[in-house]
Amino acid sequence: MNELPKIYRGLNGIYVGETSVSNVEGDVGNLSYRGINIKDLVNRDFVEVCYLLLFETLPNPHQKMQLEDFLINHSDLNQMEVSLVKSIDKNLHPMKMLQAMVPLISLETEYQHGYSHEMASGLIVAAKIPSILAAFYQVGRGNEPITVKKGLSFNENFLYRFYGQLPSDQQVNILDVTQILQMEHSFNASTYASLVTASTLAPVECAIATAIGTLYGKLHGGADQAALEMAMNISSLNDVESFVLESLAKKQKIMGMGHREYKVVDPRAKILKPMARELCIGTPFENIYLILEKIEVIMGREMQKKGKDIKANVEFYKGPVFYALGIPSVYFTGIFAMSRVFGYLAHILASREKNVLIRPKAFYIGR
Ligand code: COA
């Protein structure tokens, strides 16, 4: 048998392409989209940042309005899509439902726009993901899906349809910031999975469905739900120390901690932590926030003893933020997908310019 070649398990540290969409500087804890640091983007309009990812520069007011109009005008589900949502078991996890629904979305458009065919298809998918999530939630509660309200922003429209009532400005602002922070992250697992699908020249909606299935996993996007539920299962602050020590002794991962790229604090967690604190302290969510904070401290201490740099990632403090927004934890990762889809689309369309089939090798070791 041939000698075992070097195996790049998990592709850890391996460059598999170039990108100009975003830059993750893991050693120093910086993240930028199209050259602009996220610290300078979080307070911008959500659709402006979508535009930046997709078209490489920030939009002028007309370009922003055109993109927002396109998204809002393609948001409402048609009869077939509503019937499909209604036919799905309401106990199914929203991420499985979403992965199944995306390739079934109708991509027809009569709207006048200058977007390429694939850009328009991807934008229609992005427009309908919030509608599918809100419809699934409403139908699960015995209600009819709510249609979009003209004059509300993209994220405001999602909260309106999810809550069944108009959100406050503070709620919209919190969602905007969180969604901007999680919109894009270079060749993360789900983006890369979408690129594998796109590399076979499968259509954009199939590549996005692949990404959504990948995002669902607990080691990736699903850590948001898992981290909050972990904290909710710890009833008292006094139990945190034993929980962490026992988990580590059993080699169980603490959800929302650690990152493949960041060796210092995740820059997104740095922004989310004070937001979570402000939203939770003095409210019924205070205990959950304090439990998470204590987990972070004890994990930091334990990891330091082992010489490891394991810090809180974006998912750790996102849970209390979404929870305080009144969103059930099973919807956290779906809302993540609502924003990350713009990053997927930017990468999929970039890959079309110089497409190469992605097909690695496995070393055969015999039976
Ligand atoms: N809890 C406990 N230990 C952890 C840990 C965590 N959350 N994250 C990493 N470690 C430990 C591993 O056990 C491993 O220890 P070992 O070398 O003694 O075996 C070491 O740190 C390296 O971790 P590893 O899982 O090999 O690194 P990775 O780059 O493959 O993994 C993650 C990165 C994100 C998958 C990992 O940190 C993790 O599982 N985190 C929890 C899930 C999560 O929050 N995911 C969202 C990421 S944004």
Side-chain angles (χ1 to χ4, degrees):
M1 202 193 301
N2 295 336
E3 202 181 312
L4 192 70
K6 178 150 180 51
I7 305 280
Y8 296 96
R9 222 173 282 285
L11 300 178
N12 193 348
I14 303 299
Y15 289 101
V16 293
E18 311 98 348
T19 183
S20 62
V21 182
S22 65
N23 189 13
V24 180
E25 295 174 89
D27 294 339
V28 289
N30 271 338
L31 171 61
S32 54
Y33 301 165
R34 300 285 187 193
I36 306 180
N37 195 295
I38 50 156
K39 284 188 271 187
D40 300 320
L41 290 173
V42 275
N43 291 317
R44 293 198 87 103
D45 180 280
F46 175 79
V47 173
E48 275 184 345
V49 184
C50 299
Y51 189 99
L52 171 70
L53 282 191
L54 295 171
F55 300 99
E56 304 179 28
T57 55
L58 284 165
N60 62 35
H62 172 73
Q63 291 164 326
K64 189 235 143 181
M65 192 184 69
Q66 193 196 18
L67 179 57
E68 188 142 37
D69 281 355
F70 187 88
L71 292 169
I72 300 287
N73 284 324
H74 291 88
S75 285
D76 279 333
L77 303 179
N78 65 24
Q79 247 181 357
M80 176 207 68
E81 291 158 346
V82 171
S83 308
L84 283 167
V85 170
K86 285 184 172 173
S87 70
I88 296 172
D89 177 355
K90 297 306 156 281
N91 295 315
L92 196 70
H93 193 285
M95 284 299 278
K96 288 189 185 176
M97 179 279 301
L98 196 58
Q99 186 186 5
M101 279 295 300
V102 163
L104 305 178
I105 289 173
S106 160
L107 299 174
E108 278 168 30
T109 177
E110 285 161 14
Y111 194 79
Q112 287 302 309
H113 59 81
Y115 306 137
S116 69
H117 170 70
E118 284 207 304
M119 175 70 85
S121 298
L123 288 175
I124 294 172
V125 171
K128 290 202 177 177
I129 287 177
S131 317
I132 292 169
L133 289 168
F136 191 61
Y137 180 64
Q138 287 299 344
V139 169
R141 305 172 92 207
N143 303 327
E144 282 298 309
I146 299 168
T147 52
V148 289
K149 209 185 214 350
K150 294 274 162 70
L152 303 186
S153 72
F154 187 64
N155 284 333
E156 198 172 10
N157 247 310
F158 166 70
L159 287 177
Y160 162 65
R161 286 171 296 158
F162 193 83
Y163 291 156
Q165 61 183 52
L166 285 173
S168 68
D169 288 349
Q170 193 208 17
Q171 288 168 323
V172 178
N173 184 43
I174 293 165
L175 185 63
D176 279 346
V177 170
T178 314
Q179 295 295 64
I180 289 170
L181 287 178
Q182 56 183 355
M183 195 185 285
E184 160 58 16
H185 213 231
S186 191
F187 279 19
N188 57 87
S190 55
T191 298
Y192 194 59
S194 81
L195 291 176
V196 173
T197 302
S199 85
T200 69
L201 299 184
V204 82
E205 63 278 18
C206 295
I208 293 171
T210 299
I212 290 171
T214 311
L215 186 71
Y216 178 35
K218 272 190 205 165
L219 296 188
H220 189 15
D224 51 10
Q225 177 183 347
L228 187 83
E229 290 175 356
M230 167 188 77
M232 288 169 101
N233 284 331
I234 303 173
S235 41
S236 139
L237 271 173
N238 296 331
D239 297 335
V240 172
E241 173 122 20
S242 55
F243 168 79
V244 174
L245 297 183
E246 279 166 28
S247 303
L248 294 178
K250 287 190 243 162
K251 298 223 166 289
Q252 277 168 2
K253 296 273 183 76
I254 303 290
M255 290 293 124
M257 303 281 312
H259 199 279
R260 180 61 75 75
E261 293 295 309
Y262 292 118
K263 301 305 164 213
V264 294
V265 180
D266 180 332
R268 302 162 300 173
K270 258 193 198 165
I271 297 172
L272 279 177
K273 185 175 175 180
M275 274 173 68
R277 171 169 259 283
E278 202 184 319
L279 278 169
C280 296
I281 298 298
T283 76
F285 314 115
E286 177 168 302
N287 202 40
I288 290 198
Y289 174 83
L290 292 175
I291 286 175
L292 282 166
E293 209 177 52
K294 193 162 176 190
I295 294 175
E296 188 189 15
V297 170
I298 295 171
M299 263 296 275
R301 185 192 73 200
E302 292 304 307
M303 291 293 120
Q304 232 171 10
K305 285 185 199 162
K306 297 182 183 177
K308 288 183 200 166
D309 286 324
I310 308 290
K311 307 259 190 316
N313 61 53
V314 66
E315 313 307 340
F316 198 70
Y317 286 109
K318 194 174 82 190
V321 171
F322 275 1
Y323 201 56
L325 273 187
I327 293 165
S329 56
V330 287
Y331 279 89
F332 289 179
T333 321
I335 294 174
F336 188 168
M338 236 167 82
S339 159
R340 185 58 65 87
V341 65
F342 293 95
Y344 297 148
L345 186 54
H347 284 284
I348 293 165
L349 296 181
S351 77
R352 295 300 199 213
E353 286 163 23
K354 243 199 291 183
N355 187 61
V356 180
L357 175 73
I358 299 174
R359 202 291 185 200
K361 283 170 90 70
F363 186 72
Y364 181 63
I365 52 168
R367 299 176 64 202

